[in-house]
Amino acid sequence: NQFVEPAPTTLLREAHTDTVMVPSIWPNARPGRPEAERLPTVGYGTYLLEIILPDSVPSDRFSLKVRSSTSATHWAIYGEEADTRLGYFQQGRPGASRDEALAVWTAGVADVGLAKNNRIVLIVHASNFRHARGGLESAPSLGLREDLTRDYTSGRLWDAGILGVLLIIGVYHFVLFGQRREDKAAFY
């Protein structure tokens, strides 16, 4: 139950040594621990991840793809010294109480800016006060901007195509019903 502010990775590593599994809902995020040490389903907290990128590719060619989440989350990408925010993605507004937090069911791609070296830090503030399963149910993807943007766009186009087909089927059944009002089976 703490929102950790950006800091150099050496300080973050020393101050925060506990680990959790991602993806996982909060009660299952610390496997092998006694019931008393399990995380509750509601609350708030911070995920920290240090990422070492390949030297051959500059960090500004990368993006972070985030899937929908039931928790309110704020994804921020910083350089190793945490002096510059290189990118972010917001899924609602994480908060320390039910009144402060607002979750939004959305997915997207966040671009990563140019880091001074090949190390970046991902800081995720997350809160859940309204859903039975708090936590990150799906892991984010880090990859080349072109690949992630193409994957995200093709997924949205696929969703739109399915919606179009379902709408056409619905209109078809309404037309059948309109032509044969006495035949109630055509409506279904």
Side-chain angles (χ1 to χ4, degrees):
N1 279 336
Q2 175 184 5
F3 286 139
V4 176
E5 294 304 317
T9 55
T10 52
L11 296 176
L12 292 174
R13 236 184 273 120
E14 292 170 5
H16 307 284
T17 58
D18 199 13
T19 59
V20 294
M21 286 180 37
V22 173
S24 179
I25 60 173
W26 285 335
N28 300 338
R30 299 159 102 183
R33 301 234 180 147
E35 188 70 31
E37 291 183 23
R38 291 201 164 181
L39 298 172
T41 58
V42 296
Y44 64 99
T46 304
Y47 294 87
L48 301 167
L49 178 65
E50 181 181 14
I51 303 168
I52 302 171
L53 300 171
D55 290 326
S56 59
V57 182
S59 66
D60 63 346
R61 293 211 34 225
F62 286 91
S63 287
L64 181 74
K65 184 167 99 174
V66 179
R67 291 167 182 81
S68 300
S69 174
T70 56
S71 299
T73 57
H74 178 265
W75 303 74
I77 305 160
Y78 290 90
E80 185 178 26
E81 296 303 315
D83 52 354
T84 307
R85 187 173 75 178
L86 304 174
Y88 76 97
F89 186 77
Q90 190 106 7
Q91 292 174 307
R93 183 182 62 241
S97 69
R98 182 182 175 97
D99 294 334
E100 294 176 18
L102 174 66
V104 176
W105 188 269
T106 185
V109 176
D111 293 337
V112 178
L114 187 60
K116 294 177 184 172
N117 55 26
N118 66 337
R119 292 175 183 263
I120 59 174
V121 178
L122 177 62
I123 299 177
V124 182
H125 290 169
S127 67
N128 177 56
F129 294 97
R130 291 181 169 85
H131 198 274
R133 294 182 177 93
L136 300 178
E137 301 92 2
S138 58
S141 301
L142 181 72
L144 293 176
R145 179 176 297 129
E146 300 83 23
D147 296 339
L148 292 183
T149 303
R150 183 179 55 247
D151 290 348
Y152 180 76
T153 303
S154 66
R156 299 298 68 83
L157 289 173
W158 183 255
D159 292 345
I162 290 173
L163 178 64
V165 167
L166 292 175
L167 287 174
I168 290 170
I169 291 171
V171 168
Y172 170 75
H173 281 84
F174 278 117
V175 168
L176 280 181
F177 177 73
Q179 290 178 347
R180 296 188 254 160
R181 289 188 186 272
E182 68 282 345
D183 185 12
K184 302 289 185 198
F187 192 60
Y188 300 104

